[in-house]
Amino acid sequence: HNVWDTKSQYFCPRHEDGSYHCNRDPALHSWIFQDSGFCEADQEEMRWFVPHELGTLVDMYGKDKYVFLLDDFFVKTAHDPSTFMPNPYYWAGNEPDMLEPFQFNAAGRPDLTQLYSRFVMNFSYSVKPDGLPGNDDFGALSSWYVWAALGLYPLPGTTTY
């Protein structure tokens, strides 16, 4: 928990004196323009990037709050129609966000996993030449779609789907 700021409830870089450097606007893509301590994702996205400790993340928030915040994250995603620039919330075009639609399962809400994985499939993918939401990185985005279409997703480093 050495980068978990209990006050903001975000993972944040720390200064040498131990204080946290949390962005005032967690959804600001400051990593694109300046050194924010994040790479390829903003603070809002990195809040969920704990694939190896999902149970711990759920426990840190409590199930109800975890589900509320993750659901809100996707609701805000739907309100940003941009597919040209990275969405400041869920960005289907990059690996740090790939697990998020499936993280509702960790809190016992497979219905929301089903809802949001289908949302991402329909909103971010198409059969057009630009039908992938970003760089496929050796099939990462294509394989995400296949797993989502199957209704499964492998939890990295485990035998859990």
Side-chain angles (χ1 to χ4, degrees), residues 1-95:
H1 301 268
N2 66 351
V3 293
W4 176 252
D5 178 25
T6 56
K7 182 178 176 186
S8 70
Q9 297 219 312
Y10 285 97
F11 295 100
C12 303
R14 294 181 84 163
H15 297 287
E16 286 184 31
D17 66 5
S19 64
Y20 291 96
H21 174 70
C22 297
N23 295 326
R24 279 176 261 150
D25 179 358
L28 179 66
H29 279 310
S30 57
W31 62 270
I32 295 174
F33 307 107
Q34 65 186 16
D35 179 20
S36 66
F38 296 96
C39 184
E40 296 202 26
D42 59 41
Q43 185 173 302
E44 185 72 40
E45 295 167 285
M46 286 301 199
R47 169 185 250 183
W48 308 108
F49 191 61
V50 189
H52 51 285
E53 288 288 343
L54 286 182
T56 301
L57 188 63
V58 172
D59 290 344
M60 287 168 66
Y61 286 109
K63 280 187 181 183
D64 291 341
K65 185 173 183 180
Y66 176 89
V67 169
F68 173 81
L69 291 170
L70 189 55
D71 182 60
D72 187 57
F73 177 77
F74 279 100
V75 168
K76 290 175 180 174
T77 298
H79 291 292
D80 184 332
S82 172
T83 56
F84 173 71
M85 287 295 289
N87 190 298
Y89 298 97
Y90 181 82
W91 179 25
N94 206 16
E95 287 85 350

Side-chain angles (χ1 to χ4, degrees), residues 70-141:
L70 189 55
D71 182 60
D72 187 57
F73 177 77
F74 279 100
V75 168
K76 290 175 180 174
T77 298
H79 291 292
D80 184 332
S82 172
T83 56
F84 173 71
M85 287 295 289
N87 190 298
Y89 298 97
Y90 181 82
W91 179 25
N94 206 16
E95 287 85 350
D97 287 326
M98 294 176 89
L99 182 62
E100 285 153 357
F102 303 94
Q103 287 183 225
F104 290 101
N105 288 332
R109 292 297 306 269
D111 58 312
L112 292 175
T113 283
Q114 293 164 9
L115 174 71
Y116 289 117
S117 62
R118 294 296 180 216
F119 163 76
V120 173
M121 290 171 68
N122 294 329
F123 178 74
S124 300
Y125 290 80
S126 77
V127 296
K128 297 176 183 174
D130 64 347
L132 290 175
N135 183 339
D136 203 20
D137 289 337
F138 297 102
L141 301 180

Side-chain angles (χ1 to χ4, degrees), residues 136-157:
D136 203 20
D137 289 337
F138 297 102
L141 301 180
S142 299
S143 63
W144 183 97
Y145 188 92
V146 171
W147 281 110
L150 291 170
L152 300 169
Y153 196 78
L155 187 58

